[in-house]
Amino acid sequence: MFMNYMDYTNDKCMFMFTNGQKTRMSPTLVPGGSRNSVTVSGKCGTQPVSRTGSTAVNQNLLTVSPNPVNGNYANISYQLSKTAQVQLMILNMYGNVVASINAGSQTAGSYQLKPDAFSRLHNGIYVLKLVANGEQLASVSFAVNK
């Protein structure tokens, strides 16, 4: 696993943690965790705050289909439990935001979008984050293979 952050390799090759590393790391970043100050220091800019240490609990709130995305469009489905200002962010494997979709104020319910943001993506692995009122509700990984 040369692409693991915990391995000795070129920085450009590092882009993932193992599931065990994620499981061990997540509790340290939540409120009350030993490294929570890293998430709220502001040193890396303002970031949406996750409700839980792991977004795996909330993955059913957000889906991308088809996955892998094989054309210029894909469907994004998500659910809101209350009215919120909604933003969807697409991040590349380095954690850089490559597209942002401002959905505006939405009431509680289920939503589906077919944004053109996918047409600008190159082949690769991406993460889609659902942010409501500045708080990250869910995230899901997806691949693009055109």
Side-chain angles (χ1 to χ4, degrees), residues 67-85:
N67 190 1
V69 175
N70 53 15
N72 288 332
Y73 296 96
N75 292 315
I76 298 173
S77 301
Y78 59 94
Q79 296 178 346
L80 297 175
S81 60
K82 61 183 179 180
T83 301
Q85 288 287 335

Side-chain angles (χ1 to χ4, degrees), residues 5 10 16 19 29-30 42 47 53 60-61 70 75 79 84 93 98 101 103-104 109 112 115-117 122 127 135 140:
Y5 280 113
N10 186 328
M16 67 172 282
N19 288 333
L29 299 174
V30 297
Q47 297 291 324
N60 60 347
L61 294 177
N70 53 15
N75 292 315
Q79 296 178 346
M93 65 182 189
V98 294
I101 304 159
Q112 287 193 357
D116 66 346
H122 300 289
V127 174
E135 190 173 329
V140 65

Side-chain angles (χ1 to χ4, degrees), residues 1-16:
M1 291 196 29
F2 65 89
M3 68 289 265
N4 188 321
Y5 280 113
M6 304 301 277
D7 194 5
Y8 297 104
T9 189
N10 186 328
D11 287 346
K12 290 183 179 181
C13 295
M14 292 187 236
F15 63 88
M16 67 172 282

Side-chain angles (χ1 to χ4, degrees), residues 41-118:
S41 69
K43 299 289 183 188
C44 296
T46 57
Q47 297 291 324
V49 178
S50 175
R51 277 189 190 172
T52 63
S54 171
T55 56
V57 174
N58 297 320
Q59 277 188 328
N60 60 347
L61 294 177
L62 179 65
T63 60
V64 175
S65 63
N67 190 1
V69 175
N70 53 15
N72 288 332
Y73 296 96
N75 292 315
I76 298 173
S77 301
Y78 59 94
Q79 296 178 346
L80 297 175
S81 60
K82 61 183 179 180
T83 301
Q85 288 287 335
V86 176
Q87 183 178 21
L88 296 151
M89 296 185 298
I90 299 175
L91 292 82
N92 63 15
M93 65 182 189
Y94 299 111
N96 299 322
V97 176
V98 294
S100 182
I101 304 159
N102 187 358
S105 181
Q106 295 181 325
T107 59
S110 297
Y111 293 89
Q112 287 193 357
L113 298 174
K114 192 172 185 176
D116 66 346
F118 292 100

